[in-house]
Amino acid sequence: MKTVGILALQGDFDAHAKAIERAGAKSTLVRSAAGLDGLDGLIIPGGESTTMLKLLREENLLEPLRGFGGAHPVLGTCAGAILVATEVSNPTQESLGLVDIGIERNAYGRQVDSRIASVTPEAEFQSRTSPGDMETVFIRAPIIRRVGAGARVLAQYRGDPVLVEQGRHLVATFHPELSADPRVHALFLQKLSE
Ligand code: GLN
């Protein structure tokens, strides 16, 4: 059975652990570089990217995570998507640079801070998982403003990419771990075997 690490310095890592177990893999919480040993993939959860970045620096985890992502699949959701991006704005901050996207933090503004929306994923996503619309939970979400040539949009909400794949990595600006739809985690698990 594959083992997925969930970065557990801050944020909603527990919900991801449950989602991974529902999807049929083992999960383990990661709080140090040694915790990455033997993992097949890693999830960087939602939370507060500035706080996570501060903790990643304190734990000397930035370089180990870049190294891990150079060889294994990483799923970044919401704050995790911000951390794996190549380029962060509002304001500019350091990131892991694993997925070639430009992402703007807190981009939906205060009035529409958080919401649940139904999106129709791209046909490709539906054929690789299963058909149907997807419930997406946005919480002070970022917006992906630029998608690099090597990256592929798998779902959009109001014309902006919300689920993007680049090679072995996957990013979502919403929280797939907070809805009942298992497909984002299921797709991520497929990547562990590719
Ligand atoms: N607003 C947060 C940030 O900028 C992300 C919110 C979330 O992960 N739900 O890091």
Side-chain angles (χ1 to χ4, degrees):
M1 194 192 274
K2 300 286 182 189
T3 305
V4 176
I6 325 270
L7 185 68
L9 297 177
Q10 193 263 337
D12 74 331
F13 45 86
D14 269 333
H16 273 293
K18 293 193 179 92
I20 280 297
E21 275 146 36
R22 275 199 304 268
K26 229 175 84 177
S27 76
T28 177
L29 301 181
V30 174
R31 296 194 167 97
S32 66
L36 295 167
D37 287 351
L39 297 179
D40 298 295
L42 180 76
I43 296 179
I44 304 184
E48 189 56 49
S49 58
T50 348
T51 308
M52 267 192 246
L53 194 55
K54 179 174 164 274
L55 297 169
L56 288 173
R57 287 187 184 123
E58 284 172 14
E59 302 299 322
N60 289 315
L61 261 167
L62 285 169
E63 277 317 310
L65 287 184
R66 287 185 182 114
F68 184 86
H72 302 90
V74 175
L75 165 64
T77 62
C78 205
I82 296 168
L83 286 169
V84 301
T86 45
E87 192 192 329
V88 179
S89 59
N90 190 33
T92 304
Q93 71 186 19
E94 190 185 1
S95 54
L96 296 167
L98 296 175
V99 177
D100 187 17
I101 52 170
I103 194 163
E104 179 185 337
R105 298 180 57 209
N106 301 312
Y108 288 99
R110 221 172 270 165
Q111 309 227 322
V112 278
D113 237 13
S114 301
R115 78 190 75 177
I116 297 176
S118 177
V119 310
T120 304
E122 302 299 330
E124 186 197 329
F125 176 82
Q126 299 192 45
S127 71
R128 284 163 65 190
T129 55
S130 55
D133 288 354
M134 183 158 61
E135 182 187 88
T136 49
V137 180
F138 293 93
I139 304 170
R140 301 199 311 111
I143 293 183
I144 295 169
R145 298 293 187 194
R146 181 186 66 76
V147 175
R152 196 148 34 161
V153 177
L154 295 179
Q156 304 184 45
Y157 171 63
R158 295 191 175 167
D160 294 309
V162 294
L163 181 65
V164 170
E165 169 183 66
Q166 186 191 297
R168 64 175 78 87
H169 305 310
L170 201 56
V171 299
T173 58
F174 56 95
H175 286 261
E177 75 286 6
L178 297 182
S179 69
D181 194 320
R183 287 177 292 172
V184 171
H185 289 87
L187 182 66
F188 184 61
L189 291 188
Q190 287 176 28
K191 291 171 154 305
L192 306 189
S193 310
E194 277 162 13

